[in-house]
Amino acid sequence: MSTTSFPLAPTELEWKLPPRGRIAMFALIAAEAAIFTIFVVAYLFYIGKSLSGPMPSEVLSPPFLYTVCLLSSSLTIHFAARSLRVGNVRSFGAWWLSTISLGAIFLYGTASEWHRLIYKDGLTITTNLFGTTYYSLVGLHGFHVVVGLLAMTTVMVFTIVGAMKQEHAERIDVLSLYWHFVDGVWIVVFTIVYVIGR
Amino acid sequence: MRSRGSNNWRFVSRQIFVWLCCAAAAFADQAPAWSPTNIFAPASTPAKSIFGLSLFVLAVTGVVFLVVFTLLLYSVVKFRKRRNDDGREPPQVYGSNQVELAWTIIPILIVVALFMATARVIASVQKDPRLDNAIEVVAIGHQFWWEYRYPGLGVVTANELHVPVSDDNQPSPTFIKLLSADTDHSFWVPRLAGKTDLIPNHPNSMWIDPHEAGVYLGQCAQYCGTQHAKMLLRVYVQQRGDFDRWIQEQRQPATVSSAASQGQRIFETTACINCHTVEGTVASGRFGPDLTHLMSRDTIAAGAATNTPENLRQWILNPDAIKPGSLMPAMQLSDQDLNALTAYLETLR
Amino acid sequence: MSTESIAWPSASAESRSFVDTLHEWVTTVDHKRLGILYIIYALVFLLIGGIEAAIIRIQLIRPHNNFVSPQVFNRLFTMHGTTMIFFVVMPVLFGFANYLIPLMIGARDMAFPRLNAFSFWMTAFGGLLLYFSLVGANGLYGAGNAPDVGWFAYAPLTSRTFSVGHSTDFWTLALLVSGFGSIGTAINIVATILCMRCQGMTLAKMPLFAWLNLVMAGLVILAVSPLTAAQIMLLVDRYLGGHFFDTQAGGSAVFWMHFFWIFGHPEVYVLVLPAFAFASEIIPVFSRKPIFGYPVMVGATVAIGFISMSVWAHHMFTVGMGANVNTFFVISTMAIAVPTGIKIFNWLATIWGGKIEFKTPMLFCIAFLFQFLIAGLTGVMMSAAPFDWQLGSSYFVVAHFHYVIVGGILFTLFGAFYYWFPKMSGRMYSETLGKLHFWLFLIGFHLTFDFMHIPGLLGMPRRIYTYEPGRGWDTWNFIVTIGVFFQAAAIVVFLGNLIWSYFRGKAAGNDPWDAWTLEWSTNSPPPAYNFYTIPSVQSRRPLWDLKHPDDPDWKYE
Ligand code: HEA
Ligand code: HEA
Ligand code: CUA
Ligand SMILES: [Cu+2]
């Protein structure tokens, strides 16, 4: 029989599916979360197992200021996304720029901490288990911050040349999901490294 | 009616059980003949507990297999499309909650039964019933040989483990602490116990209590590098008297007769002493097997060759010919030196 | 044939130069082409991996054989295992998923076509990277070595101390790179299935194929990521001098085992779920009945997905975990038998009361049912931890997993090849050659893998390049090796059939099997945009509804 008498008559019911960008970002976040989980578990397991110094309590101090910066960038990106959704591109640009700046400040914080650890305290990734796990975990997070910053800078360039429109709000939402995730991970990393691990 | 039904069932199940036990016993008698490493020929309590469990698991999975296999076969044959088919589609059945429930619950019950039996055996084998008269051995895995130390008895040897027989009226189990000097290995002598891995920085332990004297074979069961295949295990189970005598001999330092001193000088001036120990001489390396009582062993290089003068000579000349990839380098000796050296080794009784 | 008159963009018959065609294939973002690229890529690696297996078996045909050196043997099984898992079964399953999912859910492409192409090329380069080690990695034994650490690469054998040179780095990087590809594809599959279904296709009306692949993709996302993390750690250890798995510096070798198997166990369900998906499409069509207990099948799949995340340490019963940990992993592992059993029983019930047509795809699926039953039961034996203390790392394990992977996955996969070949190529395959392939492979499979259990029970460990005579293993190993030649012959017939039919097969038409899912409603091969108009469905078997307007499915579901 001929089956190509397709299509079937469309039914009248309304047909709505979730947006694919968001779903894909959630899936990506799930994968990233799994990666971070492994590193976090390794960090927790090796706390106190280093055979030689320096130990975390001797060299780490919680970077409160930078943490506040990173976490508040979650707020600014939220406002940015909201501005774009209502079509206010100028305000979007302002919020977006402040998000990038806050992220960059955080990154500077990590960089200066590493610089101090390496040159003053002599802790490198090869020194001991603490060094290995610390640089890997914080480095992995830092890498995600860098990726986020690169993506946001691209958006910033588009905004400056005037290519950013209200219709891109959905994509900005997806990107901001990623950024929220990076911030959320930092809360975990902070707790593990600077609170429990010390 | 109901109670009679369950009595019948109990009768049948007891019959099956008795029958299985007889079969198992008969089987266990025959089993060693099939293979010296047959897991169904246990000769020590841990292996026996596992054997018991394995019979139960095999019986249960066997029944599941028979039932499902029969059903599958039946439906495949019965519901094939016949030659005289009328071309109509068969009745379209979408499912049935009752059946689904049935084939969820029955497997759950089976799983629970399997689990309970398993949990019991885990507990019984993994508990540590330390006795005062237990022998303690430290087994250290090396690429690709075994080091054995008897801390209480002051004996160090390699590749051939000696333990006493443990019988019911005089139990003397052996506790083996498992360490590794390099990569992962696994201690597996199927007739004595299940395998346990030797992992660096992760001490393990196991125990055996062999009921009969004899040599039990096995081999390293965790991939550990090039010569994983020739990291063989030999366990010599001896009567108590024989075992004590063996210990006495192993405690002696090496006896050096003057005839061999030529070979001894070569041994002590070549790199040999960096890797090998001969008690009572300057040789105290720990990278290779202890050679103090080399001649008391039936094999060399973890069972790769029998311990004959020719093999020994061949081994020192070129270990790769016997065990390619072993970590002992070829020593580049002249024929004459080699003969003297071999002669010296021959004296290490 | 109403679609005949429409000119499809890619259907233009003018002949193009080879370079153009090549360019088109390399730059394609079409899910069907990418699917076919995946499949061909996997077939090539199947040959390579199979030849490696054949060499392994020839070496083991008798004790103290000298066909290959121990070093080469160790590389062979490492490459065989890695190739087969990561560069044969994963890509071929992704290939079928790519090709079929959009067609089955009535979509024009995957959710992210370019991500799709990117993922394919990542996977492809992963495989090339692995084999580049043959020329690029100067390891311990002269220049150019393949990795030799085994497919689960236990620490500390992978450390710089024990694995000199770069062969292990090629292994790590290959898996890292192809892992990114896999995660990308998995994200794509999830987004496609959740966001691209045609009108009326609620989650409860998707073909089971889509459901199983959805769960598979979820597992990839959650399982391959830990592997990626572990590989990063290994790289940190090897290149930056870290100590994650460095036992000299207090690191733990057992940690790697956990990380690997947290990936490794879900991975085997990643491999088997698509096989279940093939069976769930093929068995109903050739029994002429809908799948029995659709909602229960979905539930069982999801249950398998969840439970499989909590059973990994059953690969580590001999590692010396405490009695309590062992006990936990015994019960969680055994629990998987329940949802898997439900699946077996539902397939059985699908056949029950049907009219089975023994076409080649169905033959493979029926063999799968029997073989998977046995394979699962040997799995249950090993899940009884004390029994595993005897069986683990022996040839019994090797037999178990080849029984699942070859007897289960490869069989359904061959079934899938025959079943969808008419759709992909527009031609019918040769039924005679198909049956010949089936019987040859069946004989070869049973010769090899049935008898492989026995040396395991007689104490033969795996990964040994040779063995001692007098252990009662000789005869069994001989038979096992003989079986491989039947398998190889079968695979030659299979490839011959594909090639011959592609050029000479008779036209298949749109719907040669009188089947029920949407892919059979479009042309064979489907046009670039899949459907002229996007279909809309009312039940799980839209084409049944169409063919039986008097008795449609949606009345009953
Ligand atoms: C696709 C692949 C696949 C699949 C589906 C499975 C399925 C299962 N596997 Fe297997 N397995 C592997 C691939 C697979 N395995 C691989 C590759 C390895 C080795 C890796 C390596 O070391 O290199 C391995 C190793 C492996 C081990 C470790 C052995 C060792 O190294 O010591 C164990 C131990 O528990 C195990 C168990 C199981 C169980 C319980 C199942 C269950 O899912 C099976 C469930 C199915 C059934 C039980 C049959 C149908 C059910 C019924 C008819 C219901 C009634 C039955 C009962 C109630 C019992 N497998
Ligand atoms: C998808 C997974 C998969 C598949 C399909 C196979 C298929 C096969 N495997 Fe393998 N195997 C693994 C996954 C797989 N294997 C894994 C994961 C391991 C563990 C590795 C490790 O321990 O690290 C393993 C290990 C393994 C071992 C154990 C090695 C050891 O421990 O020492 C053996 C031994 O017999 C073996 C055999 C086979 C055989 C005979 C086949 C056969 O089915 C293959 C049949 C195919 C062919 C024979 C190819 C046909 C080729 C042609 C027709 C070519 C002709 C053409 C030309 C010459 C141009 N495999
Ligand atoms: Cu030691 Cu394998
Ligand atoms: Cu598993």
Side-chain angles (χ1 to χ4, degrees), chain C residues 487-500:
Chain C
Q487 293 185 54
I491 289 179
V492 170
V493 173
F494 165 67
L495 295 175
N497 195 354
L498 289 193
I499 294 167
W500 183 85

Side-chain angles (χ1 to χ4, degrees), chain C residues 163-469:
Chain C
S163 172
V164 191
H166 298 290
S167 58
T168 303
D169 304 315
F170 277 96
W171 180 85
T172 318
L173 288 169
L175 296 204
L176 200 60
V177 168
S178 71
F180 288 133
S182 304
I183 294 173
T185 305
I187 291 176
N188 213 340
I189 291 177
V190 169
T192 307
I193 293 180
L194 291 183
C195 314
M196 311 283 286
R197 280 162 289 136
C198 70
Q199 193 170 40
M201 187 175 283
T202 58
L203 286 179
K205 288 182 183 159
M206 289 197 302
L208 265 186
F209 187 93
W211 258 113
L212 282 147
N213 275 286
L214 180 61
V215 176
M216 179 275 271
L219 276 180
V220 168
I221 288 171
L222 294 180
V224 174
S225 311
L227 177 71
T228 304
Q231 303 286 14
I232 294 173
M233 290 178 181
L234 184 56
L235 280 176
V236 168
D237 272 13
R238 286 184 61 89
Y239 275 109
L240 304 180
H243 306 294
F244 280 111
F245 311 115
D246 177 1
T247 48
Q248 306 291 317
S252 163
V254 179
F255 233 48
W256 169 270
M257 302 181 189
H258 279 294
F259 291 163
F260 187 89
W261 292 118
I262 283 174
F263 150 78
H265 186 83
E267 167 72 8
V268 304
Y269 291 95
V270 166
L271 303 180
V272 87
L273 288 179
F276 289 171
F278 300 143
S280 300
E281 294 303 319
I282 296 172
I283 291 177
V285 168
F286 291 95
S287 309
R288 311 304 308 155
K289 280 178 67 213
I291 189 83
F292 191 89
Y294 176 97
V296 185
M297 285 295 248
V298 172
T301 309
V302 177
I304 290 178
F306 277 108
I307 301 175
S308 73
M309 311 279 279
S310 66
V311 306
W312 72 87
H314 67 211
H315 296 271
M316 299 164 58
F317 283 144
T318 63
V319 166
M321 306 180 294
N324 293 337
V325 182
N326 280 341
T327 311
F328 169 78
F329 283 102
V330 168
I331 185 65
S332 63
T333 303
M334 286 183 174
I336 286 233
V338 177
T340 316
I342 292 176
K343 287 183 136 336
I344 299 252
F345 294 128
N346 276 302
W347 287 317
L348 175 63
T350 306
I351 294 177
W352 197 274
K355 291 181 176 174
I356 308 171
E357 283 179 78
F358 292 103
K359 292 278 175 28
T360 311
M362 187 61 172
L363 285 177
F364 276 107
C365 284
I366 289 175
F368 152 79
L369 289 181
F370 287 103
Q371 287 155 191
F372 189 75
L373 171 68
I374 299 174
L377 292 176
T378 55
V380 170
M381 291 174 202
M382 291 190 297
S383 70
F387 204 2
D388 184 77
W389 297 333
Q390 292 285 20
L391 299 175
S393 312
S394 78
Y395 260 83
F396 193 87
V397 177
V398 181
H400 155 72
F401 70 74
H402 284 90
Y403 231 94
V404 205
I405 293 183
V406 180
I409 299 171
L410 226 51
F411 267 74
T412 49
L413 193 62
F414 286 135
F417 264 104
Y418 288 110
Y419 182 68
W420 280 291
F421 183 79
K423 178 54 57 188
M424 294 179 176
S425 71
R427 309 260 188 174
M428 279 316 274
Y429 60 87
S430 152
E431 194 68 47
T432 324
L433 287 181
K435 294 230 162 86
L436 179 65
H437 168 203
F438 172 74
W439 289 110
L440 274 175
F441 202 68
L442 192 77
I443 295 169
F445 169 78
H446 285 283
L447 276 180
T448 301
F449 297 115
D450 292 7
F451 293 101
M452 197 185 266
H453 291 91
I454 298 170
L457 298 174
L458 299 182
M460 177 169 172
R462 61 194 285 198
R463 296 173 160 182
I464 52 174
Y465 76 95
T466 193
Y467 49 95
E468 302 298 305

Side-chain angles (χ1 to χ4, degrees), chain B residues 110-161:
Chain B
I110 299 176
V111 161
V112 169
L114 282 174
F115 169 67
M116 309 247 266
T118 307
R120 250 196 8 225
V121 178
I122 293 181
S124 84
V125 177
Q126 281 200 317
K127 76 171 186 292
D128 247 6
R130 248 166 232 283
L131 294 172
D132 292 339
N133 53 348
I135 309 286
E136 301 233 8
V137 182
V138 181
I140 306 170
H142 293 256
Q143 279 181 326
F144 308 96
W145 59 280
W146 305 91
E147 175 179 353
Y148 298 114
R149 304 182 151 249
Y150 296 69
L153 303 170
V155 167
V156 179
T157 182
N159 290 332
E160 295 178 359
L161 176 64

Side-chain angles (χ1 to χ4, degrees), chain B residues 171-191:
Chain B
S172 65
T174 304
F175 285 90
I176 309 176
K177 192 167 176 199
L178 301 165
L179 308 174
S180 164
D182 36 49
T183 65
D184 306 339
H185 306 270
S186 192
F187 189 96
W188 188 28
V189 183
R191 295 193 58 201

Side-chain angles (χ1 to χ4, degrees), chain B residues 36 43 189 191-192 210-218 233-237:
Chain B
V189 183
R191 295 193 58 201
L192 298 183
H211 302 324
E212 280 166 52
V215 182
Y216 294 85
L217 302 180
L233 275 159
R234 301 171 72 86
V235 179
Y236 289 70
V237 177

